Amino acid sequence: MSSFAERALRALPPDLVTLRTPRAADQRASVVELCRGALLSPVASPPLDRLAQGARRIAVIVSDESRDEPRSDMLRALREVLPWDRVTLVVASGTHEASHRAVPDEHRDRPVVVHGSGSTVVDLGRTTRGTRIRLLDVVAEADLVVATGRVRPHYFAGLSAGAKAIFPGVALAEDILANHLLKSEPSARLGRVHDNACRLDMEEAARALPGAAFLLNLLCDVDGTPIAAAAGDLVAAHRALVEPARRTFTVQAPRSPVVIVADRPPVSSSLYQASKLLPPAGALLDVGGVVILVADLAQGIGPVERVNQGIYQLGVRPQLPAQHRVLLVSELAEEIAARSYAEPRRSLHAALDEALAATGATRAVALWRAGELIAVPE
C-alpha cells in the first residue's frame, strides 16, 4: 500500500511540480555477501575473529526500529565470525523509544538489552569538547563491541551510522543532548563528515570504550538495495563509505521559492523524525520561500519542546534561509499539529496553492525520499 505522502504527491498536477528523487542503484548485491567481503578485508583494524578470540563479553549493537536496516542479514554475517555464545545483542535507542522488536526473531537466541531511560551506565570521562561520556554498562564493560548500521544522509552528523551506534546510540540522554548542542556549529551539516564538530565529538566519545571496538556498516540505495559494506575501525571504516554515499544520495534540482519534502515511514511517522526531511530543502529554497513538509505522523509530534527547540530551532532552521515558512501536511488533528513549529494545512494541494500564491512562483520542486538525499542546485 502506498504511503500518505505518496498518495498526496501523486494527486498533484504535474505541471506545477518538478519531482526529484535519488537514483536507484544499477547493481544487485547480497547484504550477506557484501558483509562477508568487508569482514574479510577490515579497514585499519585486525580481523574481527582475531579480536574476538580473547573476548569473554561481546556486545553487538543494532539500531532501533526507527531505522530501516537489514539487521537480520548483517547479524547473519557476524554470526559466521563471532563466538555467538558470548554475544549480547544491544538495541541502540539514543533518545528514542525502542524495543526488542528491533532484533529479528531468528537472532533472539542470545540476550537482548534495549537501551533506555532506566539503563545503568558507566562513566568514561569527557571529550575534549566537554561532553560527558556515560555509556550503557553492557557496552562499556564488554571486551569487544561490534557496532552495526546503515549509512544514509543525516541532517547534522553529515551521514548516519559509524560511531553513532555507540554515541549517541547507548549514551545517557543528558550527554546526548549536550553533544547535540554542537548541531548549531556551521560544520554540522547534511552530508558533511570529515570536519563536522558534532560527529567528531561523537567519535571521540565512542573511542573512550576501554575494550576493543569494531564496525560493520552497509550502504544501500534509496530502495534499500545494498551497494557496499565496510568493516573495521570505528572511524576509518565509516569514512570508506563517505564518498560512495555522497554519490548515491546526491540529487540535483533547480532552486525554487517553494520546496516540498516527503518520505515514507518510519521517518515520516513522527515529527521528531520527519523534521529531518527539511534540511535538504535548504540547498534549493529561495530567501522568503516556503517548505511544505508532507508526513503521516502516525506517532504524533513527539516531545513538543524538544522538536520545536532542540530539532527545529537548533538544528534545522540554521540550514534553511533566514526567512522562510514551513507548512505541515499530515494526518494529525489540526489542534495537535498547531503545537509544532510548522503551520498545519488540510491538504498538500491547499498548501501548494497557498505557497505558490504567497511567493509568486509558478512551480515547486518536490524532493521525494528526502530522508535519503543530499540536494544540490542544478
Side-chain angles (χ1 to χ4, degrees), residues 65-367:
E65 304 97 301
S66 68
R67 270 70 169 164
D68 179 16
E69 299 184 354
R71 298 173 186 84
S72 182
D73 285 345
M74 296 180 79
L75 290 174
R76 179 181 160 195
L78 288 172
R79 290 184 77 122
E80 297 173 355
V81 178
L82 291 172
W84 206 246
D85 59 331
R86 301 181 224 158
V87 166
T88 297
L89 295 170
V90 177
V91 179
S93 62
T95 57
H96 311 157
E97 294 294 327
S99 75
H100 288 70
R101 291 190 302 272
V103 177
D105 291 343
E106 62 270 27
H107 297 295
R108 291 189 200 167
D109 54 340
R110 297 302 303 152
V112 176
V113 175
V114 180
H115 178 53
S117 58
S119 295
T120 302
V121 296
V122 175
D123 194 333
L124 299 177
R126 293 180 182 269
T127 69
T128 54
R129 292 176 174 83
T131 303
R132 288 192 70 178
I133 312 166
R134 287 171 286 188
L135 301 180
L136 178 68
D137 56 354
V138 173
V139 173
E141 295 169 354
D143 303 305
L144 172 62
V145 176
V146 182
T148 69
R150 176 179 166 185
V151 177
R152 52 179 22 122
H154 191 281
Y155 80 109
F156 66 83
L159 294 170
S160 65
K164 283 181 87 278
I166 298 167
F167 193 104
V170 295
L172 189 69
E174 179 183 339
D175 302 343
I176 296 171
L177 297 177
N179 164 268
H180 285 11
L181 292 175
L182 293 168
K183 69 172 73 169
S184 63
E185 292 284 330
S187 62
R189 294 293 180 264
L190 177 68
R192 189 167 170 176
V193 173
H194 297 283
D195 63 346
N196 185 314
C198 193
R199 169 166 277 283
L200 293 175
D201 193 58
M202 295 174 185
E203 291 170 343
E204 183 182 350
R207 288 218 188 270
L209 283 173
F214 191 89
L215 186 74
L216 176 61
N217 274 178
L218 185 71
L219 172 63
C220 300
D221 73 2
V222 65
D223 296 322
T225 301
I227 297 172
D233 178 77
L234 285 178
V235 176
H238 183 260
R239 296 293 190 273
L241 293 175
V242 168
E243 289 309 316
R246 285 177 176 152
R247 291 193 297 270
T248 299
F249 298 119
T250 296
V251 172
Q252 292 187 326
R255 295 192 62 87
S256 177
V258 181
V259 179
I260 302 166
V261 292
D263 209 330
R264 299 170 180 163
V267 73
S268 63
S269 297
S270 71
L271 193 60
Y272 185 100
Q273 294 293 340
S275 297
K276 302 169 185 179
L277 306 181
L278 293 171
L284 308 176
L285 191 67
D286 291 339
V287 175
V290 179
V291 187
I292 304 174
L293 172 59
V294 188
D296 57 277
L297 304 190
Q299 297 173 8
I301 295 176
V304 176
E305 183 177 355
R306 186 179 300 170
V307 170
N308 289 347
Q309 299 298 320
I311 294 181
Y312 173 69
Q313 291 289 350
L314 187 63
V316 172
R317 187 167 188 166
Q319 301 194 52
L320 296 169
Q323 298 174 349
H324 69 270
R325 294 170 63 198
V326 179
L327 305 185
L328 173 63
V329 179
S330 73
E331 295 184 306
L332 287 179
E334 185 171 347
E335 61 270 21
I336 296 175
R339 298 168 60 201
S340 76
Y341 59 82
E343 305 171 49
R345 294 295 182 266
R346 69 181 185 280
S347 70
L348 177 55
H349 205 293
L352 179 58
D353 285 348
E354 177 183 342
L356 293 175
T359 61
T362 58
R363 291 182 66 85
V365 169
L367 301 178

